[in-house]
Amino acid sequence: QSVLTQPPSASETPGQRVSISCSGSNSNVGSYQVFWYQQLSGTAPKLLIQNDNRRPSGVPDRFSGSRSGTSASLAISGLRSEDEADYYCSSWDDSLSAWVFGGGTKLTVL
Amino acid sequence: QVPPRQLGGGLLKPSETLSLTCAVDGGPFTTFHWGWIRQPPGKGLEWIGEVHQGGGEYNPSLQSRVTISADMSRKQFSLTMTSLTAADTAIYYCARGYGMTSWGQGTKVTVSS
């Protein structure tokens, strides 16, 4: 059981927009910034969004993040087949004094 | 920035101790957070702990078995996990930065008799 809640799966057709949610509580998402990671099959996770909505250098602007209250979301527009991956959210939790992850969302590009 | 480079791993027996090291090639060392994360086969990510200038924190569920240390002169940081069981079988990743902004390539660790 993950501290942050993500839908286990999402799917959309190429060119469309998909949003992945990440739900937490006041001790994590409600108080601390959210980070998003993309994990392509068989590879290490890669930072996609930091500090709620900042894209690291090299991440296309098709990827965007937002946070409101105790929830955050990752949006991917103009979906491409290479976006098919697992996506994870993470935040610091001050009641656990630990970083916590969502369970991951498997994105399928139909 | 070059991702951290992982060393170690492999097959271990139950009750043995795991030792993994990550090397930082280039760039500053003392100003960053350095952490470890693991991923059991077919499952999600689990944060193990991190070390930084101000000290370190550990996942409460692993704290009794885990030590993370940093060697600033060699620009390396290490994970030690004791009393291994099959449940510790996973890919172990090291990562740099607050929020785990750059990840190592991962090391497969199998615990089996």
Side-chain angles (χ1 to χ4, degrees):
Chain A
Q1 192 88 1
S2 301
V3 175
L4 305 182
T5 301
Q6 296 180 234
S9 63
S11 61
E12 191 46 271
T13 53
Q16 296 303 303
R17 181 181 187 275
V18 68
S19 183
I20 297 171
S21 62
C22 174
S23 177
S25 66
N26 287 328
S27 64
N28 42 66
V29 176
S31 301
Y32 295 90
Q33 292 170 325
V34 173
F35 295 74
W36 290 90
Y37 310 90
Q38 178 193 58
Q39 186 175 33
L40 300 172
S41 180
T43 69
K46 167 194 154 187
L47 179 69
L48 202 59
I49 297 288
Q50 59 187 2
N51 305 112
D52 296 335
N53 54 24
R54 282 181 49 209
R55 286 185 310 277
S57 174
V59 174
D61 60 6
R62 302 186 296 107
F63 296 90
S64 62
S66 64
R67 177 171 66 107
S68 179
T70 58
S71 292
S73 65
L74 170 71
I76 311 171
S77 59
L79 264 178
R80 299 182 177 183
S81 58
E82 57 259 38
D83 298 331
E84 195 161 279
D86 293 324
Y87 292 85
Y88 294 90
C89 62
S90 179
S91 181
W92 179 256
D93 187 300
D94 64 13
S95 66
L96 296 172
S97 292
W99 284 92
V100 291
F101 286 98
T105 298
K106 185 175 186 63
L107 174 64
T108 300
V109 181
L110 300 169
Chain B
Q1 289 175 336
V2 178
R5 178 169 49 90
Q6 298 190 222
L7 311 165
L11 177 63
L12 293 161
K13 290 182 168 53
S15 80
E16 289 188 335
T17 295
L18 170 66
S19 293
L20 298 175
T21 297
C22 244
V24 179
D25 299 323
F29 184 83
T30 57
T31 56
F32 282 104
H33 290 220
W34 304 99
W36 291 92
I37 305 97
R38 70 180 182 179
Q39 185 172 33
K43 295 189 178 180
L45 302 170
E46 180 181 32
W47 183 75
I48 298 171
E50 67 181 13
V51 64
H52 49 79
Q53 255 187 325
E57 289 83 28
Y58 297 103
N59 185 323
S61 67
L62 299 170
Q63 187 167 9
S64 63
R65 300 193 291 128
V66 168
T67 302
I68 297 175
S69 59
D71 183 337
M72 295 181 188
S73 63
R74 300 178 67 182
K75 284 191 165 184
Q76 294 180 346
F77 62 108
S78 300
L79 168 71
T80 302
M81 182 180 290
T82 62
S83 305
L84 293 174
T85 70
D88 296 312
T89 293
I91 296 176
Y92 285 73
Y93 297 99
C94 64
R96 173 179 57 226
Y98 179 86
M100 296 155 281
T101 55
S102 180
W103 294 58
Q105 78 274 21
T107 299
K108 186 174 181 179
V109 173
T110 303
V111 182
S112 175
S113 55

